[in-house]
RNA sequence: GCCCUGGUAGUGUAGUGGUCUAUCAUGCGAGCCUGUCGAGCUCGCGACCCGGAUUCAAAUUCCGGCCGGGGCGCCA
């Protein structure tokens, strides 16, 4: 047995008993006749204290190990006020499981910060840092919340193809790849598939989906491979029903994240759970507000980064963090978006502190209108044949949204670079690790 | 796609034409030290991205390449 206890699971009742711990050597402080070894495991760190006089052989072995080597140690757990955990372990048996090469390409607890590029090149070490693990523990918690909430609302989790034949649903560049004798593409989103599923009777589906986007952007808010909660629901009366699910989803994710008290402490972050319902503001009003602040935006335009931020400031002054922007101009939304009147649509965005984190709409379910809109967006209905087919044999009214997980985490944890929110980011130039 | 910006020991940096035999920190190695927790002290190790050009002289200037960072557009 390599481990009987994790560092943080040791309690007073374990004192004066023999326990076994395992992990990475974070630091060795050799004072001469006594040495302190800091051992790190997934829950935190603990201290091994070894006396030269008492066990010279073990002392030599332990103090000569390199940092980040992996060991398992059996020893008596002693209460000690001088140690941060309140206890220390006096090793009796040592098993060296893996010796780390020195010097490390990246120090886990070094006093000098490394460039993000260096960190990503050595991500497996970078992720040993408690702060980085905290991000992914919180990420896990919010994903659990997604499943829990959506399952409670009768949604079915699905998995749609990521290799597709149709080149684009518009809006972004896609990755091209060889599929035997054919040309194929990586899916930019599950949009067309989850809509097709609305014709099946599954009624409510969601997917934790990969998005692949070949845009050559180089910013801290973009990835070429990202994840999202994608959802679609049938038999809706209007987009408000979709927004209702979305705001409850976000609320549940936020709430579940707030239970990760230890992680927030590690990250030195505070969290307050937002109140429901979120504000709704129509696009026209957004334009008014922005024009009052002399932003120079004209009706029909998409907001753009600066305007999004400005709006975030305006809303923040009103004490609003989360808000839906509704009734977008039809021309600024994708072809599958349901029109509302002549120039408006049933499309909406959800913004948090000035950053768009989700966007959705009621979709068009009438195949004739859909074909018209495809043409109006300068796309060819022929390229969408298998998609359109699903609308010809009984398609109920429906709607849904896509919700970027990394963007969400950025806002949740006040992280400035989206690459921090994904284990192995893919950006304009990074393909490894 | 457009624009700005950078590349010096394992890591992070100083250095803008001439004792640069390249700074400092961290790290690594050796030694001393019985209560460390950013341990301390002594000694040592280790670097100018690649190619070409200018020059008496290039880490430093110019050109090309490779590899980064960031802003906008677009989006999540």
């Amino acid at each position: 047995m390599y481990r009987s206890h994790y560092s943080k699971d040791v309690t007073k009742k374990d004192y004066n008993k023999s326990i076994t711990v395992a992990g990475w050597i974070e630091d060795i402080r050799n004072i001469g006749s006594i040495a302190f070894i800091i051992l790190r495991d997934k829950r935190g760190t603990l201290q091994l204290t070894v006396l030269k006089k008492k066990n010279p052989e073990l002392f030599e072995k332990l103090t000569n190990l390199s940092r980040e080597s992996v060991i398992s140690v059996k020893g008596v757990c002693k209460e000690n006020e001088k140690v941060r955990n309140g206890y220390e372990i006096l090793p009796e048996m040592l098993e060296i499981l893996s010796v780390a090469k020195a010097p490390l390409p990246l120090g886990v607890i070094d006093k000098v910060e490394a460039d993000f590029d260096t960190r990503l090149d050595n991500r497996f070490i970078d992720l040993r840092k408690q702060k980085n693990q905290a991000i992914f523990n919180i990420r896990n918690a919010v994903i659990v919340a997604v499943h829990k909430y959506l399952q409670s609302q009768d949604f079915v989790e699905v998995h749609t193809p990521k290799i597709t034949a149709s080149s684009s649903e518009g809006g972004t560049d896609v990755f091209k790849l060889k599929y035997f004798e054919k040309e194929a593409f990586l899916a930019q989103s599950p949009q067309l598939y989850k809509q097709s599923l609305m014709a099946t009777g599954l009624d409510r589906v969601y997917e934790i989906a990969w998005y692949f986007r070949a845009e050559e952007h180089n910013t801290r808010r973009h990835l070429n491979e990202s994840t999202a909660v994608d959802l679609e629901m049938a038999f809706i009366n209007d987009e408000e029903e979709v927004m209702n699910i979305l705001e409850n989803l976000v609320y549940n994710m936020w709430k579940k994240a707030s239970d990760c008290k230890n992680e927030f402490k590690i990250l030195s972050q505070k969290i307050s759970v937002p109140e429901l319902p979120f504000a709704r503001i129509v696009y026209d009003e957004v334009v008014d507000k922005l024009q009052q602040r002399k932003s120079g935006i004209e009706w029909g335009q998409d907001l753009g980064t600066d305007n999004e931020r400005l709006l975030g400031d305006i809303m923040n002054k009103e004490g609003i963090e989360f808000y839906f922007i509704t009734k977008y101009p039809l021309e600024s939304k994708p072809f599958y978006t349901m029109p509302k009147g002549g120039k408006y649509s049933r499309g909406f965005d959800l913004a948090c502190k000035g950053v768009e984190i989700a966007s959705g709409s009621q979709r068009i379910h009438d195949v004739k209108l859909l074909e018209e809109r495809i043409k109006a967006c300068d796309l060819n209905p022929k390229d969408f044949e298998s998609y359109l087919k699903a609308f010809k044999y009984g398609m109920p009214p429906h709607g849904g949204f896509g919700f970027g997980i990394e963007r969400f985490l950025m806002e949740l944890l006040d992280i400035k670079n989206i690459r921090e929110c994904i284990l192995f980011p893919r950006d304009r130039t990074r393909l490894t690790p």
Side-chain angles (χ1 to χ4, degrees):
Chain A
M1 184 179 63
Y2 291 133
R3 176 188 284 133
S4 65
H5 291 72
Y6 276 111
S7 56
K8 288 286 179 289
D9 297 345
V10 174
T11 61
K12 284 206 164 95
K13 65 176 197 290
D14 300 308
Y15 292 173
N16 298 316
K17 286 183 186 153
S18 181
I19 66 170
T20 311
V21 294
W24 286 259
I25 294 175
E26 189 162 279
D27 200 13
I28 299 167
R29 291 191 277 270
N30 186 351
I31 310 299
S33 304
I34 188 170
F36 307 99
I37 289 117
I38 308 301
L39 192 72
R40 183 187 64 249
D41 61 28
K42 103 181 225 180
R43 302 267 158 79
T45 58
L46 58 81
Q47 178 171 296
L48 310 171
T49 304
V50 55
L51 283 156
K52 196 181 210 168
K53 210 160 65 181
K54 207 171 160 194
N55 197 336
E57 202 184 318
L58 192 62
F59 185 93
E60 279 308 303
K61 268 192 186 168
L62 268 169
T63 53
N64 282 323
L65 278 165
S66 51
R67 294 197 304 167
E68 297 303 314
S69 292
V70 181
I71 60 170
S72 171
V73 167
K74 191 179 174 189
V76 177
C77 176
K78 280 279 179 199
E79 181 168 19
N80 191 334
E81 282 175 358
K82 290 180 207 157
V83 187
R84 284 198 177 140
N85 288 9
Y87 72 90
E88 62 191 349
I89 289 163
L90 310 176
E92 283 158 6
M93 274 166 62
L94 164 70
E95 192 168 351
I96 299 165
L97 302 174
S98 174
V99 176
K101 216 175 125 186
L104 298 163
L106 176 71
V108 177
I109 53 156
D110 280 7
K111 288 119 203 165
V112 290
E113 259 302 296
D115 285 348
F116 200 15
D117 196 46
T118 308
R119 290 175 44 206
L120 289 176
D121 281 340
N122 302 282
R123 190 64 156 153
F124 63 95
I125 295 179
D126 187 49
L127 289 167
R128 292 178 189 176
K129 296 176 189 166
Q130 287 192 329
K131 281 196 175 193
N132 295 331
Q133 285 198 5
I135 294 170
F136 293 97
N137 283 329
I138 291 169
R139 183 179 164 122
N140 175 65
V142 302
I143 297 293
V144 168
V146 168
H147 289 296
K148 211 172 161 196
Y149 173 67
L150 292 179
Q151 294 287 336
S152 81
Q153 298 300 308
D154 208 18
F155 280 84
V156 175
E157 187 184 14
V158 297
H159 303 90
T160 63
K162 299 300 155 225
I163 304 173
T164 68
S166 60
S167 70
S168 179
E169 55 194 70
T172 191
D173 289 329
V174 294
F175 288 107
K176 201 190 276 187
L177 56 99
K178 259 175 82 176
Y179 191 77
F180 308 112
E181 67 278 7
K182 289 177 185 158
E183 188 175 63
F185 305 90
L186 287 178
Q188 71 182 77
S189 86
Q191 183 63 32
L192 307 185
Y193 286 100
K194 64 180 186 171
Q195 280 198 70
S196 298
L197 289 173
M198 295 300 94
T200 64
L202 282 171
D203 280 2
R204 292 182 155 209
V205 304
Y206 73 102
E207 177 172 3
I208 310 286
W210 283 104
Y211 283 20
F212 301 97
R213 305 212 163 162
E215 291 288 339
E216 295 192 32
H217 33 48
N218 194 354
T219 80
R220 10 172 229 179
R221 316 184 304 283
H222 290 93
L223 292 166
N224 290 290
E225 187 181 71
S226 67
T227 61
V229 179
D230 245 283
L231 175 151
E232 205 68 24
M233 51 200 282
F235 297 101
I236 59 165
N237 287 302
D238 54 36
E239 68 275 24
E240 178 59 34
E241 286 182 45
V242 181
M243 286 156 62
N244 188 257
I245 291 287
L246 175 54
E247 65 187 346
N248 275 285
L249 177 67
V250 170
Y251 173 83
N252 276 280
M253 291 166 81
W254 212 271
K255 196 158 191 308
K256 192 82 179 172
S258 73
D259 291 341
C260 300
K261 298 220 156 50
N262 190 39
E263 278 74 11
F264 276 89
K265 202 174 137 197
I266 289 167
L267 293 169
S268 316
Q269 289 283 329
K270 291 220 156 65
I271 179 170
S272 55
V273 181
E275 274 177 34
L276 288 178
F278 294 159
R280 269 79 166 152
I281 173 168
V282 296
Y283 174 85
D284 287 1
E285 203 184 327
V286 169
V287 173
D288 271 358
K289 277 184 193 286
L290 290 172
Q291 282 173 344
Q292 276 170 31
R293 296 281 292 262
K294 294 172 185 153
S295 93
I297 189 174
E298 281 175 36
W299 193 94
Q301 285 183 325
D302 237 13
L303 297 190
T305 312
D306 286 350
N307 281 321
E308 274 181 18
R309 279 187 201 131
L310 181 57
L311 181 64
D313 283 350
I314 295 168
M315 299 304 276
N316 194 36
K317 282 193 183 122
E318 297 174 24
I320 296 167
E321 276 195 330
F322 287 90
Y323 47 92
F324 284 103
I325 303 169
T326 63
K327 280 185 74 181
Y328 265 89
L330 186 59
E331 64 194 66
S332 73
K333 286 285 163 190
F335 66 81
Y336 45 78
T337 310
M338 180 72 95
K340 184 174 180 137
K343 53 180 193 172
Y344 293 102
S345 77
R346 293 187 175 278
F348 60 84
D349 283 353
L350 176 62
C352 170
K353 299 175 209 161
V355 178
E356 184 192 311
I357 58 171
S359 84
S361 64
Q362 179 173 349
R363 324 295 193 189
I364 297 168
H365 59 279
D366 177 84
V367 72
K368 285 221 170 60
L369 179 57
L370 192 54
E371 279 175 10
E372 266 174 45
R373 290 296 305 150
I374 288 173
K375 283 181 204 158
C377 291
D378 282 328
L379 295 163
N380 188 349
K382 280 219 166 86
D383 295 335
F384 296 92
E385 265 177 24
S386 71
Y387 166 70
L388 288 168
K389 199 172 175 185
F391 289 76
K392 291 177 183 167
Y393 305 93
M395 174 64 92
H398 64 277
F401 58 80
F403 175 14
I405 294 169
E406 291 82 20
R407 283 273 175 95
F408 174 80
L409 285 169
M410 281 177 86
E411 295 314 308
L412 181 73
L413 305 175
D414 197 26
I415 289 169
K416 301 300 177 210
N417 192 323
I418 196 166
R419 283 165 267 224
E420 300 275 8
C421 300
I422 191 160
L423 288 171
F424 299 101
R426 291 290 174 266
D427 60 30
R428 174 68 187 83
T429 50
R430 180 170 289 277
L431 203 50
T432 52

